[in-house]
Amino acid sequence: MAREPRRILVADDDPTIRTLLQDFLEGEGYEVSVALDGEQVLSEARDTKPDLILMDVRMPKLDGIAVLERMKSEGLSSPVIVMTAFGGSTLAIKAIQLGAYDYVTKPFDLDEISEAIERFFERQQLSGELRHVRGRADAFNPNDKIIGNSPAMQSVYKTIGKVAASGATVLISGETGTGKELVAQTIHTNSMFSQGPLVKVNCAALPETLLESELFGHEKGAFTGAVNQRKGRFELAHKGTIFLDEVGDMSLGTQKKLLRVLQEHEFERVGGISTIKVDTRVIAATNKKLEEEVAAGNFREDLYYRLGVIHIHLPPLRERKEDIPDLVDYFLQKHRPHPDAAPLDISQEAVNLLMEHDWPGNVRELENTIERAIILSQGGVITTHHLVFNLIRPGRTLDLRDALQRTGSLRAAMEEVEARLIFEALSQANGDQQQAAESLGIPVEELRRKLSLAESTKEAVGAGQS
Ligand SMILES: Nc1ncnc2c1ncn2[C@@H]1O[C@H](COP(=O)(O)OP(=O)(O)OP(=O)(O)O)[C@@H](O)[C@H]1O
Ligand SMILES: [Mg+2]
């Protein structure tokens, strides 16, 4: 069935322009009506609800800005493309702020108009083909939920199910951001220790002596600065779980003491003589390859076997890409601006781009990318433009030459690099345009103008990096 022609309202007080646009757009297959002033635009927006309004800013009775304000306050949703004389004006920015979809500057050429209109309808169609977030909001628990149905994750779930209750020591390995802490948390919640505390210690964050006193506590006067007796994390985790994060970074001396706790369930505080007994479940995690550390003499082999009674390995995200769509849906829910906000949407094209990326930062990087996209899309549909991957990492600099090769045009390359820098600055500033503009050394007006241009370039920001 043929689609009904799209209805465009052309509003301009200049009869020459009206006629020119009407003839041209009818030639392009649109159904065109006209308005001579702002009042007429408003009444058309109320009554006939055109699919798109192409509107001059300077019009008698009610100017374009006033029309936009009225439309906004009356909740009239017809999309508007504004026409203004000369670019970069505060009027154009105001129009965009008031909800205009786009603007073109006069004198315009008809190609430019027709491109802006096509872009609009394309985008509208895109959002009509959205994937909707599955699942109900009220059934959503942001904590402690492991997402992913890939075979690799299924086997992780099975292991968790088997070991949680046993109280056995578990070693969780995997690259950064693969969900090691999440798995540790889940094991704890599903174990017989779940009524007790889950105590976390980052073994990489502290120098040796401080780490030992952190883990085992110290007696008063044990070392300079030990003015009081202090309980260690092992004692605090009694009848609960202790999570030793980054265990691969522990010094050999501390490793020896840890081994003893695992074997005998007892230790002494630093500077103490009385032996303390604890009943604590140990879960350790590392993003190092511990076998290699053992081979290199950095990690005790006996401790490795003690810790790894049960070993759960979390594969990197790039090896389980089928989990990406589910994770995306989940993070869109998790990071909704507020619980009652409408579900967030993402275009299929954007999901495809996420599937192509190799995710060196794994699930954490994906989560951050989605969080940023939510900020950048300002509640609208998330498209490829809003996907800013971690751009600055070794060998992944913003290279103009690269972009030139890809786009085949200096202008397009410069625009692409500029767009990326802008989105990056915006995400660094958490969407604060003023702050982003400052960091780029440009006035905020310029940033806004560039932003609306960048939004409309078809080249996906971030594409071609992986
Ligand atoms: N399968 C998953 N489902 C849902 N969220 C996940 C999953 N995996 C990781 N996450 C989320 O990604 C983020 C990073 O996960 P986590 O902190 O557990 O990673 P990690 O392996 O401990 O990383 P690091 O080695 O850098 O400490 C967290 O916000 C976590 O909730
Ligand atoms: Mg971690």
Side-chain angles (χ1 to χ4, degrees):
M1 205 172 77
R3 194 215 319 256
E4 302 227 322
R6 278 144 165 172
R7 294 171 304 121
I8 300 182
L9 175 68
V10 171
D12 202 306
D13 56 332
D14 182 337
T16 327
I17 293 189
R18 268 199 322 263
T19 317
L20 177 76
L21 283 174
Q22 179 165 26
D23 288 350
F24 172 71
L25 292 173
E26 281 175 352
E28 302 263 287
Y30 298 105
E31 189 181 304
V32 182
S33 54
V34 294
L36 315 187
D37 59 48
E39 296 282 6
Q40 282 187 8
V41 176
L42 269 184
S43 64
E44 291 287 316
R46 286 189 203 109
D47 303 338
T48 64
K49 299 186 174 47
D51 296 320
L52 180 64
I53 300 174
L54 197 55
M55 175 173 72
D56 189 19
V57 167
R58 285 178 221 287
M59 288 183 300
K61 292 192 185 163
L62 219 52
D63 72 17
I65 296 298
V67 171
L68 286 168
E69 276 165 354
R70 289 273 289 276
M71 286 181 65
K72 198 171 178 182
S73 68
E74 288 183 37
L76 299 169
S77 58
S78 290
V80 178
I81 293 180
V82 168
M83 302 181 282
T84 64
F86 306 112
S89 69
T90 41
L91 263 188
I93 292 158
K94 187 104 206 275
I96 299 287
Q97 281 173 334
L98 284 168
Y101 168 76
D102 203 350
Y103 66 87
V104 289
T105 51
K106 281 180 173 181
F108 49 74
D109 63 57
L110 291 170
D111 284 344
E112 192 186 342
I113 297 269
S114 119
E115 266 171 36
I117 293 175
E118 267 174 36
R119 200 154 59 214
F120 166 74
F121 283 120
E122 249 173 45
R123 197 163 164 146
Q124 197 186 44
Q125 189 175 348
L126 181 74
S127 60
E129 293 163 1
L130 293 177
R131 308 164 59 262
H132 278 275
V133 177
R134 289 189 289 274
R136 294 201 1 251
D138 56 2
F140 178 74
N141 168 16
N143 301 315
D144 224 50
K145 207 165 158 188
I146 311 180
I147 304 296
N149 284 314
S150 56
M153 290 309 287
Q154 299 279 8
S155 96
V156 168
Y157 304 151
K158 278 184 208 149
T159 314
I160 293 176
K162 275 188 250 165
V163 305
S166 75
T169 302
V170 180
L171 176 66
I172 307 169
S173 63
E175 290 178 10
T176 180
T178 45
K180 298 184 294 294
E181 184 162 345
L182 183 63
V183 167
Q185 175 82 51
T186 310
I187 293 174
H188 173 72
T189 340
N190 290 289
S191 73
M192 59 187 180
F193 300 96
S194 63
Q195 297 305 310
L198 171 64
V199 176
K200 298 175 186 177
V201 187
N202 184 338
C203 304
L206 296 171
E208 179 168 351
T209 43
L210 282 182
L211 178 60
E212 287 190 9
S213 115
E214 190 72 22
L215 288 172
F216 309 115
H218 60 248
E219 298 295 343
K220 189 174 170 179
F223 49 86
T224 338
V227 286
N228 288 309
Q229 186 209 58
R230 184 165 174 235
K231 282 188 180 177
R233 300 298 181 103
F234 267 102
E235 267 180 276
L236 297 174
H238 185 55
K239 300 282 179 204
T241 304
I242 189 166
F243 176 53
L244 302 174
D245 206 358
E246 317 288 3
V247 77
D249 292 278
M250 200 178 256
S251 73
L252 285 164
T254 314
Q255 287 178 30
K256 190 171 172 198
K257 296 187 177 161
L258 175 61
L259 182 64
R260 176 163 166 238
V261 186
L262 291 175
Q263 283 170 335
E264 330 269 341
H265 301 279
E266 60 178 41
F267 58 91
E268 287 89 38
R269 295 195 189 113
V270 176
I273 40 164
S274 57
T275 299
I276 294 163
K277 289 206 164 280
V278 282
D279 182 17
T280 297
R281 201 243 186 100
V282 177
I283 302 179
T286 179
N287 53 29
K288 293 193 168 167
K289 293 201 167 81
L290 277 192
E291 314 85 68
E292 287 175 14
E293 297 299 314
V294 169
N298 298 326
F299 204 85
R300 292 178 66 110
E301 191 170 15
D302 45 7
L303 178 61
Y304 173 62
Y305 288 116
R306 262 291 160 177
L307 283 176
V309 174
I310 311 285
H311 184 173
I312 296 180
H313 179 70
L314 292 172
L317 189 55
R318 62 184 170 279
E319 288 173 15
R320 46 178 165 115
K321 287 195 166 178
E322 63 265 49
D323 289 343
I324 291 177
D326 288 343
L327 284 163
V328 169
D329 284 350
Y330 176 74
F331 292 137
L332 283 177
Q333 285 230 43
K334 182 173 170 187
H335 297 293
R336 276 204 272 177
H338 52 92
D340 311 322
L344 293 161
D345 290 313
I346 183 165
S347 74
Q348 185 59 54
E349 202 191 350
V351 175
N352 294 345
L353 189 59
L354 293 171
M355 296 285 282
E356 282 167 26
H357 189 57
D358 64 351
W359 302 111
N362 295 295
V363 184
R364 180 183 293 111
E365 185 189 355
L366 176 62
E367 180 165 9
N368 292 343
T369 303
I370 297 295
E371 257 189 287
R372 256 181 259 155
I374 291 172
I375 294 169
L376 294 177
S377 67
Q378 300 181 351
V381 180
I382 294 173
T383 66
T384 51
H385 302 297
H386 304 120
L387 300 178
V388 186
F389 299 122
N390 287 339
L391 300 169
I392 300 176
R393 51 173 206 252
R396 293 257 184 269
T397 43
L398 289 171
D399 189 352
L400 193 55
R401 195 185 305 272
D402 235 37
L404 177 59
Q405 225 168 31
R406 207 166 43 243
T407 59
S409 131
L410 178 61
R411 185 157 169 211
M414 281 167 55
E415 275 171 9
E416 191 188 309
V417 170
E418 184 175 281
R420 283 207 232 159
L421 285 170
I422 288 173
F423 278 113
E424 196 183 271
L426 263 176
S427 70
Q428 296 263 323
N430 282 323
D432 183 332
Q433 298 187 343
Q434 186 68 47
Q435 200 183 322
E438 274 165 29
S439 77
L440 292 165
I442 56 172
V444 70
E445 290 78 20
E446 190 178 338
L447 178 116
R448 292 200 180 112
R449 190 168 50 80
K450 287 183 184 300
L451 200 55
S452 61
L453 290 177
E455 283 284 338
S456 60
T457 50
K458 296 220 174 93
E459 179 61 45
V461 171
Q465 294 166 68
S466 43

